[in-house]
Amino acid sequence: MQQEQAQFRISKVVQSINPSLLLFLAALAAIIFANSPWQAQYFSFLNNPIKVNIGDYGLFEHHGRPMTLQEFVNDALMAIFFFVIGLEIKMELLIGQLSSIRKAMLPVVAAIGGMIIPVLVFYAFVHDGGMAMRGAAIPMATDIAFALAVLAAVGKHVPPCLKVFLMSLAVVDDIGGIIIIALFYSGQIHLTSLLIGLGLLVVTYILGRKGMDKAYIYYFIGFIVWTFFLHSGIHTTISGVLLALTIPSKCTVRLPQLKESLSGFVQDFNGQYEIEAERAQKLSHRQLVRLRLLEKKVERSISPLQFIEHDLSPVVSYIILPLFAFVNAGVTFGGVTMSDLLGLPIAIFCGLFMGKMLGISLFTYIPNKIGILKYPEGMTTRNLIAISIFGGIGFTVSLFIASLSYSPETAEGVNLLNQAKIGVFSGTIVSALVGFFALNFATRHLKK
């Protein structure tokens, strides 16, 4: 009992910490280390090899060598992040705002605009045909966790439809980002590894259809699938998304069945221990069997999809994403010239801040104006423009795409990645600040 109370208290303390704040602090720490006397130690830490061997087989080896810490975070831990994203996408497609064409149309169209226009804005600044053009997808992304944290800071007077709209278009953004990663950021395809990985995904789907509801089975198969995707040439994050789509969303025990079992349990269980003393209690054999059966039914009344998403979300929010920020946000400002800032950084900044706002708002306003689609109740053109600015809060996924766009193995790649980080940070921060004040202004009449 004391252990359960301690776990509950720890859980409450953890939940009281805003994960977006933790993400921001991790990024800030990375920037401080990257521009401090400990710069060399910081980058050396990121290049430490991760060695986990089973006999002669290295679990995290790629291209004949162990992954560095940075590669481990980007290729292994971020696969878990995209696995959770995939679970959320599947839930949205089944019962959320994307579950019907009527519900999905407006955020889908808005998200398409929020992906196309930022890329066009990027190309307006970067069009010389060099390596810098590989980063055109960087301003496409929206960091939904960060954006919702800023939205919550605006206050409870914000119309609920704006939160739903922002969440839905961010989900479509994620789908677009996943497609971009699969098409443009994968390497040379090794067909055998890919086919084995896809075959295992088919097996996972069949297991789900047959009623498999043990999370550890899906975790184990998921690790094996990830291993084959690592050697297939397809980016490993895609394995996380595809695995999520195979996880069953139906419960093996429905709530009416559970309710019936609970009623029978209450009737049969007299509420007394067979033997009870101050230092110990003992159930009868019948009570023990009934409780264990009830425990299993309660577990099976939660779908594997929801159970796994609930289990992994805190791990992603409080461990994986802050760690990702710490190993990827280390931008160095020494040696950055004004001409550098007017190239790639300004392209990403304008893509996030201006491109997202224009793309989302125009692709929503025009269909509404000509009568093809309608604003949801509570949305106006003024608060639409304000909420569109929130789309420019790219951060996590933008940094991730930047790390895929520019290889740190060459001096040019290192320089471009550093510039890209400056663009992501500036675009995200300005979008967050301007979005906060714009939405406050647009909804000021709703304050009580």
Side-chain angles (χ1 to χ4, degrees):
M1 185 67 179
Q2 290 179 343
Q3 184 180 0
E4 291 177 357
Q5 289 176 343
Q7 289 175 344
F8 178 73
R9 285 195 293 269
I10 293 171
S11 176
K12 286 194 71 175
V13 170
V14 171
Q15 290 175 4
S16 67
I17 302 172
N18 189 318
S20 296
L21 177 62
L22 202 59
L23 187 68
F24 175 77
L25 291 176
L28 184 62
I31 295 172
I32 292 171
F33 276 113
N35 294 276
S36 73
W38 302 288
Q39 181 188 80
Q41 289 87 338
Y42 167 73
F43 287 108
S44 174
F45 172 70
L46 300 187
N47 288 315
N48 273 331
I50 303 295
K51 295 181 179 180
V52 180
N53 292 343
I54 299 178
D56 295 329
Y57 179 73
L59 288 181
F60 301 112
E61 285 192 2
H62 191 37
H63 300 308
R65 61 171 178 79
M67 287 182 173
T68 64
L69 174 63
Q70 188 168 37
E71 290 171 337
F72 174 74
V73 171
N74 290 348
D75 292 340
L77 297 187
M78 285 303 282
I80 300 175
F81 167 72
F82 277 92
F83 175 54
V84 173
I85 290 291
L87 295 174
E88 294 172 352
I89 288 172
K90 183 170 182 177
M91 189 66 79
E92 284 293 316
L93 291 171
L94 293 173
I95 59 173
Q97 287 299 309
L98 304 179
S99 60
S100 70
I101 294 177
R102 182 181 60 83
K103 288 182 180 180
M105 191 57 69
L106 190 67
V108 166
V109 172
I112 290 172
M115 289 185 278
I116 293 174
I117 303 301
V119 172
L120 295 178
V121 170
F122 179 93
Y123 281 136
F125 289 90
V126 179
H127 47 263
D128 58 0
M131 184 188 286
M133 293 186 68
R134 284 181 53 84
I138 296 172
M140 285 176 52
T142 297
D143 188 322
I144 184 58
F146 215 145
L148 289 178
V150 179
L151 183 62
V154 177
K156 295 183 178 179
H157 65 280
V158 176
C161 68
L162 296 183
K163 180 179 179 180
V164 172
F165 177 74
L166 181 61
M167 289 178 63
S168 301
L169 75 87
V171 169
V172 181
D173 255 6
D174 288 335
I175 295 173
I178 290 163
I179 293 171
I180 292 296
I181 291 170
L183 292 178
F184 300 106
Y185 295 104
S186 294
Q188 182 180 356
I189 305 300
H190 299 280
L191 198 57
T192 302
S193 295
L194 178 60
L195 289 176
I196 294 174
L198 292 174
L200 286 170
L201 289 172
V202 173
V203 171
T204 309
Y205 175 76
I206 293 172
L207 287 174
R209 296 283 293 181
K210 295 294 184 181
M212 172 55 66
D213 56 4
K214 301 298 182 185
Y216 65 85
I217 296 293
Y218 293 110
Y219 295 152
F220 177 71
I221 296 176
F223 177 76
I224 299 175
V225 170
W226 173 85
T227 301
F228 280 106
F229 267 72
L230 179 66
H231 298 288
S232 72
I234 301 293
H235 199 274
T236 52
T237 53
I238 303 302
S239 69
V241 177
L242 294 178
L243 178 67
L245 298 180
T246 69
I247 304 298
S249 56
K250 291 183 179 180
C251 313
T252 51
V253 174
R254 298 296 182 93
L255 286 181
Q257 296 172 279
L258 180 63
K259 184 178 179 182
E260 185 178 338
S261 298
L262 287 170
S263 300
F265 174 80
V266 171
Q267 290 174 4
D268 294 346
F269 206 90
N270 59 21
Q272 298 294 324
Y273 290 100
E274 183 180 58
I275 301 174
E276 183 170 11
E278 184 178 345
R279 297 178 61 185
Q281 296 82 34
K282 181 183 177 182
L283 294 167
S284 69
H285 176 71
R286 176 182 171 79
Q287 288 173 327
L288 181 60
V289 170
R290 291 300 301 270
L291 278 173
R292 294 299 297 272
L293 287 174
L294 184 63
E295 180 185 21
K296 290 180 180 179
K297 284 196 173 184
V298 169
E299 287 181 356
R300 297 175 69 187
S301 66
I302 307 170
S303 71
L305 189 151
Q306 189 173 12
F307 182 88
I308 293 173
E309 193 271 337
H310 182 266
D311 264 12
L312 290 183
S313 286
V315 176
V316 168
S317 298
Y318 292 100
I319 299 175
I320 292 177
L321 289 183
L323 186 56
F324 169 82
F326 183 74
V327 303
N328 285 282
V331 58
T332 56
F333 297 107
V336 177
T337 65
M338 184 58 68
S339 61
D340 289 335
L341 294 177
L342 294 177
L344 184 60
I346 196 68
I348 295 172
F349 169 80
C350 290
L352 285 171
F353 179 55
M354 296 171 56
K356 277 289 188 180
M357 177 183 64
L358 289 172
I360 294 170
S361 56
L362 285 177
F363 274 59
T364 307
Y365 172 78
I366 294 173
N368 176 75
K369 187 69 175 177
I370 62 180
I372 298 176
L373 299 172
K374 290 184 178 181
Y375 289 160
E377 185 177 353
M379 178 180 282
T380 64
T381 300
R382 180 179 290 182
N383 62 34
L384 165 65
I385 295 172
I387 201 67
S388 298
I389 300 173
F390 282 71
I393 302 175
F395 201 64
T396 305
V397 181
S398 290
L399 281 177
F400 182 70
I401 295 177
S403 71
L404 298 179
S405 302
Y406 307 118
S407 171
E409 296 178 2
T410 64
E412 183 183 10
V414 170
N415 184 41
L416 289 173
L417 180 57
N418 194 63
Q419 293 180 32
K421 292 175 183 178
I422 294 174
V424 170
F425 288 142
S426 57
T428 294
I429 292 170
V430 171
S431 294
L433 291 174
V434 175
F436 174 85
F437 289 111
L439 191 57
N440 250 316
F441 178 78
T443 59
R444 67 191 186 284
H445 62 286
L446 299 175
K447 293 181 180 180
K448 294 182 179 179

